[in-house]
């Protein structure tokens, strides 16, 4: 896992450890609850976020 913090946001990159596994919002890899919390937090504070599937994981960027 990689976390980067900037003045106006942060990013998290998480790898599954196995290439070509597609993440689903409610799968066993734990992204469903985490992304739901990110979504609710961003809505509450009027932040924005993007999430991108990687070959072996997912990257999420939150901007304030």
């Amino acid at each position: 896992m990689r976390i980067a913090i900037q003045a106006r946001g942060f990013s998290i990159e998480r790898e599954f450890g196995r290439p070509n596994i597609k993440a689903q919002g409610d799968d066993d890899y734990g992204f469903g609850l985490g992304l739901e919390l990110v979504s609710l937090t961003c809505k509450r504070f009027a932040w924005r976020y993007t999430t991108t599937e990687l070959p072996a994981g997912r990257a999420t960027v939150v901007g304030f």
Side-chain angles (χ1 to χ4, degrees), residues 3 5 10-11 14 16 19-20 23-24 30 32 34 37-38 42-48 50 53 57 59 62:
I3 301 173
I5 301 172
F10 63 91
S11 63
R14 169 76 200 240
F16 299 132
N20 301 320
Q24 300 296 321
L37 292 172
V38 167
C42 287
K43 284 179 188 176
R44 170 70 172 93
F45 293 104
W47 298 344
R48 63 194 178 287
T50 59
E53 286 191 37
V62 175

Side-chain angles (χ1 to χ4, degrees), residues 32 36-37 45 51 56 58:
E36 182 68 19
L37 292 172
F45 293 104
T51 184
R58 182 170 292 179

Side-chain angles (χ1 to χ4, degrees), residues 5-23:
I5 301 172
Q6 299 87 28
R8 302 291 297 158
F10 63 91
S11 63
I12 300 172
E13 186 175 317
R14 169 76 200 240
E15 294 183 10
F16 299 132
R18 294 181 292 182
N20 301 320
I21 296 175
K22 297 291 184 194

